[in-house]
Every structure is written in structure tokens, then in C-alpha cells.
PDB file of all heavy atoms in Angstrom:
ATOM      1  N   ILE A   1       4.428  -0.221  -7.330  1.00 98.00           N
ATOM      2  CA  ILE A   1       3.410  -0.073  -8.494  1.00 98.00           C
ATOM      3  C   ILE A   1       2.595   1.381  -8.360  1.00 98.00           C
ATOM      4  O   ILE A   1       1.577   1.504  -8.939  1.00 98.00           O
ATOM      5  CB  ILE A   1       2.347  -1.197  -8.341  1.00 98.00           C
ATOM      6  CG1 ILE A   1       1.745  -1.282  -6.913  1.00 98.00           C
ATOM      7  CG2 ILE A   1       2.990  -2.589  -8.770  1.00 98.00           C
ATOM      8  CD1 ILE A   1       0.561  -2.275  -6.912  1.00 98.00           C
ATOM      9  N   ASN A   2       3.373   2.294  -7.755  1.00 98.00           N
ATOM     10  CA  ASN A   2       2.941   3.600  -7.670  1.00 98.00           C
ATOM     11  C   ASN A   2       4.094   4.535  -7.531  1.00 98.00           C
ATOM     12  O   ASN A   2       5.233   4.073  -7.383  1.00 98.00           O
ATOM     13  CB  ASN A   2       1.891   3.716  -6.498  1.00 98.00           C
ATOM     14  CG  ASN A   2       0.879   4.918  -6.802  1.00 98.00           C
ATOM     15  OD1 ASN A   2       1.177   5.904  -7.528  1.00 98.00           O
ATOM     16  ND2 ASN A   2      -0.368   4.859  -6.421  1.00 98.00           N
ATOM     17  N   LYS A   3       3.930   5.815  -7.344  1.00 98.00           N
ATOM     18  CA  LYS A   3       4.860   6.783  -7.286  1.00 98.00           C
ATOM     19  C   LYS A   3       5.873   6.470  -6.054  1.00 98.00           C
ATOM     20  O   LYS A   3       5.418   6.227  -5.047  1.00 98.00           O
ATOM     21  CB  LYS A   3       4.422   8.290  -7.073  1.00 98.00           C
ATOM     22  CG  LYS A   3       3.503   8.682  -8.371  1.00 98.00           C
ATOM     23  CD  LYS A   3       2.917  10.033  -8.019  1.00 98.00           C
ATOM     24  CE  LYS A   3       2.053  10.480  -9.272  1.00 98.00           C
ATOM     25  NZ  LYS A   3       1.410  11.679  -8.951  1.00 98.00           N
ATOM     26  N   VAL A   4       7.147   6.542  -6.365  1.00 98.00           N
ATOM     27  CA  VAL A   4       8.109   6.404  -5.220  1.00 98.00           C
ATOM     28  C   VAL A   4       8.503   7.706  -4.657  1.00 98.00           C
ATOM     29  O   VAL A   4       9.189   8.478  -5.547  1.00 98.00           O
ATOM     30  CB  VAL A   4       9.316   5.539  -5.669  1.00 98.00           C
ATOM     31  CG1 VAL A   4      10.178   5.180  -4.448  1.00 98.00           C
ATOM     32  CG2 VAL A   4       8.778   4.283  -6.400  1.00 98.00           C
ATOM     33  N   ASN A   5       8.366   7.989  -3.515  1.00 98.00           N
ATOM     34  CA  ASN A   5       8.613   9.357  -3.005  1.00 98.00           C
ATOM     35  C   ASN A   5       9.803   9.573  -2.176  1.00 98.00           C
ATOM     36  O   ASN A   5      10.380  10.705  -2.037  1.00 98.00           O
ATOM     37  CB  ASN A   5       7.470   9.819  -2.005  1.00 98.00           C
ATOM     38  CG  ASN A   5       6.270  10.348  -2.786  1.00 98.00           C
ATOM     39  OD1 ASN A   5       6.327  10.660  -3.968  1.00 98.00           O
ATOM     40  ND2 ASN A   5       5.133  10.283  -2.150  1.00 98.00           N
ATOM     41  N   SER A   6      10.496   8.403  -1.693  1.00 98.00           N
ATOM     42  CA  SER A   6      11.733   8.652  -0.893  1.00 98.00           C
ATOM     43  C   SER A   6      12.657   7.455  -0.898  1.00 98.00           C
ATOM     44  O   SER A   6      12.154   6.339  -1.046  1.00 98.00           O
ATOM     45  CB  SER A   6      11.252   9.021   0.592  1.00 98.00           C
ATOM     46  OG  SER A   6      12.412   9.330   1.456  1.00 98.00           O
ATOM     47  N   VAL A   7      13.942   7.697  -0.780  1.00 98.00           N
ATOM     48  CA  VAL A   7      14.963   6.532  -0.707  1.00 98.00           C
ATOM     49  C   VAL A   7      15.979   7.074   0.207  1.00 98.00           C
ATOM     50  O   VAL A   7      16.338   8.187   0.204  1.00 98.00           O
ATOM     51  CB  VAL A   7      15.610   6.297  -2.214  1.00 98.00           C
ATOM     52  CG1 VAL A   7      16.203   7.503  -2.900  1.00 98.00           C
ATOM     53  CG2 VAL A   7      16.556   5.197  -2.148  1.00 98.00           C
ATOM     54  N   HIS A   8      16.524   6.082   0.887  1.00 98.00           N
ATOM     55  CA  HIS A   8      17.619   6.346   1.848  1.00 98.00           C
ATOM     56  C   HIS A   8      18.462   5.200   1.990  1.00 98.00           C
ATOM     57  O   HIS A   8      18.005   4.077   2.250  1.00 98.00           O
ATOM     58  CB  HIS A   8      17.076   6.770   3.267  1.00 98.00           C
ATOM     59  CG  HIS A   8      18.154   7.388   4.173  1.00 98.00           C
ATOM     60  ND1 HIS A   8      18.194   6.962   5.536  1.00 98.00           N
ATOM     61  CD2 HIS A   8      19.119   8.188   3.989  1.00 98.00           C
ATOM     62  CE1 HIS A   8      19.152   7.668   6.007  1.00 98.00           C
ATOM     63  NE2 HIS A   8      19.824   8.500   5.120  1.00 98.00           N
ATOM     64  N   TYR A   9      19.817   5.375   1.962  1.00 98.00           N
ATOM     65  CA  TYR A   9      20.760   4.317   2.108  1.00 98.00           C
ATOM     66  C   TYR A   9      20.964   3.834   3.605  1.00 98.00           C
ATOM     67  O   TYR A   9      20.999   4.711   4.495  1.00 98.00           O
ATOM     68  CB  TYR A   9      22.162   4.635   1.644  1.00 98.00           C
ATOM     69  CG  TYR A   9      22.420   4.125   0.180  1.00 98.00           C
ATOM     70  CD1 TYR A   9      22.306   4.956  -0.993  1.00 98.00           C
ATOM     71  CD2 TYR A   9      22.835   2.831  -0.059  1.00 98.00           C
ATOM     72  CE1 TYR A   9      22.580   4.409  -2.251  1.00 98.00           C
ATOM     73  CE2 TYR A   9      23.182   2.313  -1.280  1.00 98.00           C
ATOM     74  CZ  TYR A   9      22.922   3.120  -2.427  1.00 98.00           C
ATOM     75  OH  TYR A   9      23.288   2.672  -3.653  1.00 98.00           O
ATOM     76  N   SER A  10      21.333   2.595   3.701  1.00 98.00           N
ATOM     77  CA  SER A  10      21.735   2.121   5.081  1.00 98.00           C
ATOM     78  C   SER A  10      23.309   2.462   5.265  1.00 98.00           C
ATOM     79  O   SER A  10      23.927   2.797   4.307  1.00 98.00           O
ATOM     80  CB  SER A  10      21.533   0.545   5.164  1.00 98.00           C
ATOM     81  OG  SER A  10      22.121  -0.054   6.296  1.00 98.00           O
ATOM     82  N   GLY A  11      23.756   2.366   6.453  1.00 97.00           N
ATOM     83  CA  GLY A  11      25.083   2.603   6.778  1.00 97.00           C
ATOM     84  C   GLY A  11      26.091   1.664   6.153  1.00 97.00           C
ATOM     85  O   GLY A  11      27.288   1.924   6.055  1.00 97.00           O
ATOM     86  N   ASP A  12      25.534   0.477   5.599  1.00 98.00           N
ATOM     87  CA  ASP A  12      26.424  -0.534   4.987  1.00 98.00           C
ATOM     88  C   ASP A  12      26.675  -0.219   3.531  1.00 98.00           C
ATOM     89  O   ASP A  12      27.461  -0.959   2.886  1.00 98.00           O
ATOM     90  CB  ASP A  12      25.966  -1.902   5.199  1.00 98.00           C
ATOM     91  CG  ASP A  12      24.644  -2.076   4.514  1.00 98.00           C
ATOM     92  OD1 ASP A  12      24.154  -1.219   3.765  1.00 98.00           O
ATOM     93  OD2 ASP A  12      23.975  -3.298   4.656  1.00 98.00           O
ATOM     94  N   SER A  13      26.105   0.737   3.079  1.00 98.00           N
ATOM     95  CA  SER A  13      26.225   1.257   1.642  1.00 98.00           C
ATOM     96  C   SER A  13      25.853   0.178   0.670  1.00 98.00           C
ATOM     97  O   SER A  13      26.055   0.272  -0.560  1.00 98.00           O
ATOM     98  CB  SER A  13      27.767   1.683   1.291  1.00 98.00           C
ATOM     99  OG  SER A  13      28.082   2.760   2.081  1.00 98.00           O
ATOM    100  N   ARG A  14      25.115  -0.870   1.032  1.00 98.00           N
ATOM    101  CA  ARG A  14      24.561  -1.977   0.248  1.00 98.00           C
ATOM    102  C   ARG A  14      23.107  -1.865   0.194  1.00 98.00           C
ATOM    103  O   ARG A  14      22.433  -2.051  -0.950  1.00 98.00           O
ATOM    104  CB  ARG A  14      25.088  -3.302   0.631  1.00 98.00           C
ATOM    105  CG  ARG A  14      24.509  -4.428  -0.149  1.00 98.00           C
ATOM    106  CD  ARG A  14      25.219  -5.772   0.170  1.00 98.00           C
ATOM    107  NE  ARG A  14      24.796  -6.828  -0.687  1.00 98.00           N
ATOM    108  CZ  ARG A  14      25.290  -7.981  -0.831  1.00 98.00           C
ATOM    109  NH1 ARG A  14      26.377  -8.190  -0.033  1.00 98.00           N
ATOM    110  NH2 ARG A  14      24.770  -8.956  -1.561  1.00 98.00           N
ATOM    111  N   HIS A  15      22.422  -1.701   1.198  1.00 98.00           N
ATOM    112  CA  HIS A  15      21.030  -1.830   1.341  1.00 98.00           C
ATOM    113  C   HIS A  15      20.375  -0.362   1.303  1.00 98.00           C
ATOM    114  O   HIS A  15      21.058   0.573   1.829  1.00 98.00           O
ATOM    115  CB  HIS A  15      20.447  -2.555   2.560  1.00 98.00           C
ATOM    116  CG  HIS A  15      21.007  -3.914   2.469  1.00 98.00           C
ATOM    117  ND1 HIS A  15      22.170  -4.397   3.166  1.00 98.00           N
ATOM    118  CD2 HIS A  15      20.363  -5.027   2.011  1.00 98.00           C
ATOM    119  CE1 HIS A  15      22.341  -5.738   2.929  1.00 98.00           C
ATOM    120  NE2 HIS A  15      21.267  -6.162   2.183  1.00 98.00           N
ATOM    121  N   CYS A  16      19.248  -0.194   0.730  1.00 98.00           N
ATOM    122  CA  CYS A  16      18.455   1.017   0.824  1.00 98.00           C
ATOM    123  C   CYS A  16      16.950   0.744   0.977  1.00 98.00           C
ATOM    124  O   CYS A  16      16.489  -0.350   0.665  1.00 98.00           O
ATOM    125  CB  CYS A  16      18.684   1.916  -0.455  1.00 98.00           C
ATOM    126  SG  CYS A  16      17.874   1.302  -1.936  1.00 98.00           S
ATOM    127  N   VAL A  17      16.313   1.673   1.476  1.00 98.00           N
ATOM    128  CA  VAL A  17      14.752   1.586   1.825  1.00 98.00           C
ATOM    129  C   VAL A  17      14.124   2.582   0.879  1.00 98.00           C
ATOM    130  O   VAL A  17      14.667   3.680   0.714  1.00 98.00           O
ATOM    131  CB  VAL A  17      14.532   1.656   3.274  1.00 98.00           C
ATOM    132  CG1 VAL A  17      14.930   3.039   3.796  1.00 98.00           C
ATOM    133  CG2 VAL A  17      12.963   1.408   3.539  1.00 98.00           C
ATOM    134  N   THR A  18      13.028   2.247   0.334  1.00 98.00           N
ATOM    135  CA  THR A  18      12.235   3.198  -0.507  1.00 98.00           C
ATOM    136  C   THR A  18      10.798   3.176   0.080  1.00 98.00           C
ATOM    137  O   THR A  18      10.229   2.068   0.502  1.00 98.00           O
ATOM    138  CB  THR A  18      12.228   2.773  -1.952  1.00 98.00           C
ATOM    139  OG1 THR A  18      11.775   1.354  -2.073  1.00 98.00           O
ATOM    140  CG2 THR A  18      13.643   2.919  -2.542  1.00 98.00           C
ATOM    141  N   GLY A  19      10.039   4.234  -0.105  1.00 98.00           N
ATOM    142  CA  GLY A  19       8.649   4.331   0.329  1.00 98.00           C
ATOM    143  C   GLY A  19       7.848   4.835  -0.892  1.00 98.00           C
ATOM    144  O   GLY A  19       8.267   5.745  -1.568  1.00 98.00           O
ATOM    145  N   SER A  20       6.660   4.175  -1.085  1.00 98.00           N
ATOM    146  CA  SER A  20       5.883   4.556  -2.308  1.00 98.00           C
ATOM    147  C   SER A  20       4.465   4.697  -1.840  1.00 98.00           C
ATOM    148  O   SER A  20       3.975   4.226  -0.874  1.00 98.00           O
ATOM    149  CB  SER A  20       5.956   3.331  -3.276  1.00 98.00           C
ATOM    150  OG  SER A  20       4.959   3.444  -4.317  1.00 98.00           O
ATOM    151  N   LEU A  21       3.701   5.344  -2.864  1.00 98.00           N
ATOM    152  CA  LEU A  21       2.277   5.571  -2.603  1.00 98.00           C
ATOM    153  C   LEU A  21       1.506   4.200  -2.867  1.00 98.00           C
ATOM    154  O   LEU A  21       0.306   4.180  -2.768  1.00 98.00           O
ATOM    155  CB  LEU A  21       1.747   6.708  -3.582  1.00 98.00           C
ATOM    156  CG  LEU A  21       2.339   7.985  -3.302  1.00 98.00           C
ATOM    157  CD1 LEU A  21       1.606   9.049  -4.190  1.00 98.00           C
ATOM    158  CD2 LEU A  21       2.097   8.449  -1.810  1.00 98.00           C
ATOM    159  N   ASP A  22       2.150   3.178  -3.117  1.00 97.00           N
ATOM    160  CA  ASP A  22       1.445   1.824  -3.268  1.00 97.00           C
ATOM    161  C   ASP A  22       1.364   1.314  -1.820  1.00 97.00           C
ATOM    162  O   ASP A  22       0.728   0.121  -1.712  1.00 97.00           O
ATOM    163  CB  ASP A  22       2.268   0.842  -4.135  1.00 97.00           C
ATOM    164  CG  ASP A  22       3.604   0.596  -3.707  1.00 97.00           C
ATOM    165  OD1 ASP A  22       4.116   0.984  -2.591  1.00 97.00           O
ATOM    166  OD2 ASP A  22       4.432  -0.135  -4.480  1.00 97.00           O
ATOM    167  N   GLY A  23       1.627   1.983  -0.770  1.00 97.00           N
ATOM    168  CA  GLY A  23       1.551   1.566   0.516  1.00 97.00           C
ATOM    169  C   GLY A  23       2.558   0.541   1.049  1.00 97.00           C
ATOM    170  O   GLY A  23       2.319  -0.293   1.943  1.00 97.00           O
ATOM    171  N   LYS A  24       3.736   0.528   0.440  1.00 97.00           N
ATOM    172  CA  LYS A  24       4.841  -0.446   0.662  1.00 97.00           C
ATOM    173  C   LYS A  24       6.135   0.240   0.933  1.00 97.00           C
ATOM    174  O   LYS A  24       6.454   1.306   0.366  1.00 97.00           O
ATOM    175  CB  LYS A  24       4.976  -1.397  -0.306  1.00 97.00           C
ATOM    176  CG  LYS A  24       3.821  -2.147  -0.754  1.00 97.00           C
ATOM    177  CD  LYS A  24       3.461  -3.288   0.209  1.00 97.00           C
ATOM    178  CE  LYS A  24       2.516  -4.367  -0.261  1.00 97.00           C
ATOM    179  NZ  LYS A  24       1.255  -3.678  -0.635  1.00 97.00           N
ATOM    180  N   LEU A  25       6.854  -0.152   1.934  1.00 98.00           N
ATOM    181  CA  LEU A  25       8.231   0.047   2.203  1.00 98.00           C
ATOM    182  C   LEU A  25       8.967  -1.194   1.488  1.00 98.00           C
ATOM    183  O   LEU A  25       8.586  -2.394   1.784  1.00 98.00           O
ATOM    184  CB  LEU A  25       8.727   0.152   3.554  1.00 98.00           C
ATOM    185  CG  LEU A  25       8.282   1.349   4.278  1.00 98.00           C
ATOM    186  CD1 LEU A  25       9.053   1.431   5.673  1.00 98.00           C
ATOM    187  CD2 LEU A  25       8.616   2.703   3.682  1.00 98.00           C
ATOM    188  N   ILE A  26      10.085  -0.935   0.718  1.00 98.00           N
ATOM    189  CA  ILE A  26      10.784  -2.069   0.239  1.00 98.00           C
ATOM    190  C   ILE A  26      12.266  -1.832   0.621  1.00 98.00           C
ATOM    191  O   ILE A  26      12.882  -0.816   0.359  1.00 98.00           O
ATOM    192  CB  ILE A  26      10.726  -2.209  -1.399  1.00 98.00           C
ATOM    193  CG1 ILE A  26       9.284  -2.559  -1.628  1.00 98.00           C
ATOM    194  CG2 ILE A  26      11.692  -3.399  -1.771  1.00 98.00           C
ATOM    195  CD1 ILE A  26       9.040  -2.731  -3.184  1.00 98.00           C
ATOM    196  N   ILE A  27      12.832  -2.853   1.256  1.00 98.00           N
ATOM    197  CA  ILE A  27      14.220  -2.896   1.516  1.00 98.00           C
ATOM    198  C   ILE A  27      15.068  -3.640   0.331  1.00 98.00           C
ATOM    199  O   ILE A  27      14.676  -4.734   0.109  1.00 98.00           O
ATOM    200  CB  ILE A  27      14.554  -3.419   2.831  1.00 98.00           C
ATOM    201  CG1 ILE A  27      13.977  -2.553   4.041  1.00 98.00           C
ATOM    202  CG2 ILE A  27      16.177  -3.587   3.152  1.00 98.00           C
ATOM    203  CD1 ILE A  27      14.046  -3.249   5.338  1.00 98.00           C
ATOM    204  N   TRP A  28      15.917  -2.934  -0.185  1.00 98.00           N
ATOM    205  CA  TRP A  28      16.610  -3.544  -1.396  1.00 98.00           C
ATOM    206  C   TRP A  28      18.121  -3.875  -1.094  1.00 98.00           C
ATOM    207  O   TRP A  28      18.793  -3.091  -0.303  1.00 98.00           O
ATOM    208  CB  TRP A  28      16.594  -2.514  -2.574  1.00 98.00           C
ATOM    209  CG  TRP A  28      15.193  -1.988  -2.949  1.00 98.00           C
ATOM    210  CD1 TRP A  28      14.689  -0.901  -2.431  1.00 98.00           C
ATOM    211  CD2 TRP A  28      14.386  -2.487  -3.976  1.00 98.00           C
ATOM    212  NE1 TRP A  28      13.489  -0.629  -3.006  1.00 98.00           N
ATOM    213  CE2 TRP A  28      13.337  -1.621  -4.026  1.00 98.00           C
ATOM    214  CE3 TRP A  28      14.577  -3.531  -4.884  1.00 98.00           C
ATOM    215  CZ2 TRP A  28      12.308  -1.871  -4.934  1.00 98.00           C
ATOM    216  CZ3 TRP A  28      13.459  -3.704  -5.819  1.00 98.00           C
ATOM    217  CH2 TRP A  28      12.362  -2.923  -5.825  1.00 98.00           C
TER     218      TRP A  28
END
């Protein structure tokens, strides 16, 4: 719910993590 500043894939090429100014990391 705020600007997303960074994304990075896991080694499995399926999951990624994102970090946002909403104070959350989300693993997708």
C-alpha cells in the first residue's frame, strides 16, 4: 500500500521477495 522499492528472486525461480515503504516484506 506504498511505494515498492526492491524485488529479488529466490534460487527456485518461483518465489520472490519485495520491500515497500508500507513497512512490509512480502514473499510471493
Side-chain angles (χ1 to χ4, degrees):
I1 55 173
N2 207 328
K3 297 173 180 177
V4 189
N5 277 340
S6 188
V7 59
H8 191 225
Y9 260 102
S10 170
D12 65 4
S13 297
R14 177 169 183 167
H15 297 91
C16 73
V17 61
T18 55
S20 166
L21 297 186
D22 62 10
K24 301 286 194 301
L25 290 187
I26 299 181
I27 297 173
W28 306 87

